[in-house]
Amino acid sequence: MDNVLRGKNIIIGISGGIAAYKTPQLVRLLKKSGAFIRVVLTESATRFVSELALATVSEERVYRSLFPPADTTGTDYTRHISLGEWADAFVIAPATANTLARLSAGLCDDMLTALFLTLRPGKPVMIFPSMDGQMFLSPSVQRNIAILSGQGCRLITPESGELASGLIGVGRMPEPESIVSSLEKALQSTVPSSPLCGKSVVVTAGPTREKIDGVRFISNYSSGKMGFAIARAASERGALVTLITGPVYLETPSGVKRLDVETAMEMHDAAKSCFKSCNIFIGAAAVSDYRPATSFEGKMKKEKPEIELTLIKNPDILAEFGMQKAPGQLAVGFALETHAGLDNARNKLSAKNLDLIALNFFDRNTSGFEVDTNILTLIDNEGLTTELPQLPKDDAADKLLDLIEQLYVKTRQ
Ligand code: C5P
């Protein structure tokens, strides 16, 4: 991989959370990659990390106050402007709840917040919220995150794990190595002005499990690979991605907010809460069409020679979104077929009121469930059909998103 960091001007903004203690290491890694670094701290960040340490590793003075010392001369008074002009990217890590609130409100009473306003358009702003899990999930913090995402900032969902309080939850700042790799991707992105940048994209992925009893379920072979590839590709284009997934064994793509569910009803509930706010809904999950009418407590005994299982229909999540989507919202689905694929896919496109459907055939070796490749035929709501060759699922996801971008721009014209 080319070293995209070499020669780049990066500002690291540090606010006052415990994770600030990791930032000298972040600065060192970036310096090693050949980037030029300037560090900006909030007042409370200085409680967690020393200015001297940061000045030493960055080999530059660090900035905090908007007001330079009294003996300052020349352009130092307008450093917040010249630094904003200088920067190729602004990384705010850790971003506390307080700093998120101040950034989203447009306050500019210290160097970090003022710089946020002077950064030149199109330069990536990567914000790494880091705080207690309950604080992170609070409506106020989520609102501020949504505002900043809507402005095109890349909000990186914190990691889950042990928090400073000793509690387990979401809120940990990613390790410096991971921040560096997110920054590399942001700077490398070939589509910096993707129409998906800052837009809310919801992806369903994986199978669902429908409980027969406490230890058995009905499910399917879906691995979740296609949905995860779509979530990754959308996130790389700057979208704010929520991935609602059934049980799978896959790593969450960087920057993606993941909601784990088990049953179709749980997936339905999670998805419904995103219907109004999302710009694009992509149903890549293999949702079980039916669930047992009743589920036995504990383990069912094999006493009878024959048993009957009554199944009832699950809600069709994608169709529900398709039916109630507002103008400008996009609904995208998949059709996994074993025969009469084109006809079935076209019927689903219209029955579910979709904008785009990706048809794939079930073939154990090349496409559909479990395998790493897919062969998609994309059909849009005007009947335009695009046949893709066999591609790795990551590449198929990129092609799908290229078309989604075009449709999204069209529906908003
Ligand atoms: O009707 P069929 O199951 O083939 O439709 C597939 C599409 O609909 C997929 O995009 C799938 O994610 C979505 N779907 C859904 N909820 C269901 C069934 C399918 O969202 N209950």
Side-chain angles (χ1 to χ4, degrees):
M1 183 196 292
D2 288 347
N3 180 3
V4 284
L5 287 166
R6 180 166 302 284
K8 289 286 186 321
N9 298 333
I10 314 287
I11 300 179
I12 308 291
I14 306 171
S15 60
I18 178 65
Y21 83 89
K22 295 180 181 174
T23 53
Q25 174 64 0
L26 172 63
V27 173
R28 284 198 67 213
L29 289 174
L30 291 169
K31 288 276 294 179
K32 267 192 177 164
S33 299
F36 300 110
I37 307 296
R38 298 286 190 280
V39 176
V40 186
L41 296 108
T42 63
E43 192 65 41
S44 44
T46 60
R47 307 278 187 126
F48 296 95
V49 61
S50 103
E51 288 178 89
L52 182 60
L54 289 161
T56 308
V57 287
S58 68
E59 299 175 272
E60 289 288 341
R61 61 170 276 205
V62 301
Y63 300 88
R64 180 158 44 96
S65 171
L66 270 179
F67 307 106
D71 58 352
T72 303
T73 53
T75 55
D76 231 18
Y77 287 108
T78 52
R79 269 289 166 146
H80 58 297
I81 315 283
S82 52
L83 276 177
E85 241 179 336
W86 172 84
D88 292 312
F90 191 12
V91 175
I92 304 177
T96 59
N98 183 47
T99 291
L100 290 173
R102 293 169 63 237
L103 293 172
S104 70
L107 296 181
C108 50
D109 53 358
D110 66 7
M111 195 60 155
L112 191 153
T113 48
L115 263 176
F116 179 67
L117 301 185
T118 63
L119 201 76
R120 292 300 178 258
K123 304 290 180 187
V125 180
M126 312 202 62
I127 304 181
F128 292 81
S130 168
M131 65 199 75
D132 164 69
Q134 210 51 49
M135 286 174 84
F136 177 71
L137 296 172
S138 73
S140 305
V141 169
Q142 289 299 313
R143 179 199 59 211
N144 294 331
I145 285 177
I147 290 172
L148 292 166
S149 302
Q151 290 174 203
C153 301
R154 295 159 202 238
L155 272 290
I156 313 299
T157 306
E159 293 179 353
S160 292
E162 197 178 331
L163 303 170
S165 59
L167 296 172
I168 306 287
V170 65
R172 284 170 61 91
M173 187 178 87
E175 292 302 319
E177 289 77 6
S178 162
I179 295 180
V180 171
S181 108
S182 302
L183 179 59
E184 278 172 343
K185 279 193 193 134
L187 288 169
Q188 219 164 23
S189 175
T190 50
V191 275
S193 57
S194 163
L196 302 188
C197 189
K199 299 292 176 283
S200 159
V201 174
V202 175
V203 183
T204 66
T208 63
R209 289 179 179 173
E210 311 302 323
K211 285 184 188 139
I212 298 171
D213 67 11
V215 296
R216 303 178 181 96
F217 53 81
I218 297 174
S219 192
N220 55 61
Y221 291 114
S222 169
S223 61
K225 286 176 187 168
M226 194 66 230
F228 275 59
I230 294 169
R232 175 204 54 78
S235 173
E236 281 179 9
R237 290 169 197 232
L240 180 65
V241 182
T242 303
L243 176 61
I244 305 172
T245 178
V248 294
Y249 302 93
L250 296 172
E251 291 262 325
T252 313
S254 163
V256 166
K257 177 172 163 189
R258 171 173 175 166
L259 302 175
D260 285 290
V261 296
E262 191 174 346
T263 65
M265 294 305 278
E266 286 169 10
M267 187 173 276
H268 180 239
D269 286 348
K272 253 172 70 174
S273 68
C274 308
F275 276 3
K276 275 220 162 68
S277 57
C278 83
N279 300 105
I280 299 166
F281 187 93
I282 307 173
V287 186
S288 298
D289 291 329
Y290 295 91
R291 67 179 182 279
T294 50
S295 154
F296 291 82
E297 284 276 317
K299 189 179 170 193
M300 228 162 74
K301 291 282 167 220
K302 53 171 182 290
E303 287 154 352
K304 300 179 193 159
E306 209 172 76
I307 57 164
E308 255 180 32
L309 202 57
T310 305
L311 300 177
I312 52 176
K313 215 166 187 178
N314 275 325
D316 191 315
I317 303 166
L318 180 62
E320 201 171 303
F321 176 77
M323 292 306 165
Q324 65 187 62
K325 71 186 159 89
Q329 282 186 309
L330 228 61
V332 179
F334 275 78
L336 178 77
E337 305 295 339
T338 51
H339 64 280
L342 274 175
D343 285 346
N344 283 331
R346 285 190 188 114
N347 289 342
K348 279 174 195 174
L349 180 82
S350 86
K352 300 187 192 214
N353 195 29
L354 308 181
D355 299 278
L356 181 68
I357 196 157
L359 160 69
N360 56 344
F361 284 96
F362 180 63
D363 178 313
R364 266 270 147 88
N365 299 315
T366 58
S367 78
F369 288 156
E370 285 186 309
V371 285
D372 290 331
T373 59
N374 220 344
I375 305 173
L376 298 180
T377 300
L378 310 177
I379 309 163
D380 76 11
N381 53 4
E382 287 177 358
L384 199 75
T385 302
T386 312
E387 281 185 36
L388 300 179
Q390 180 182 357
L391 291 170
K393 282 184 174 168
D394 276 343
D395 296 347
D398 270 320
K399 298 274 181 226
L400 175 67
L401 281 170
D402 287 347
L403 207 56
I404 290 176
E405 280 185 351
Q406 288 174 24
L407 283 177
Y408 187 67
V409 169
K410 216 159 65 173
T411 53
R412 299 182 79 82
Q413 275 164 358

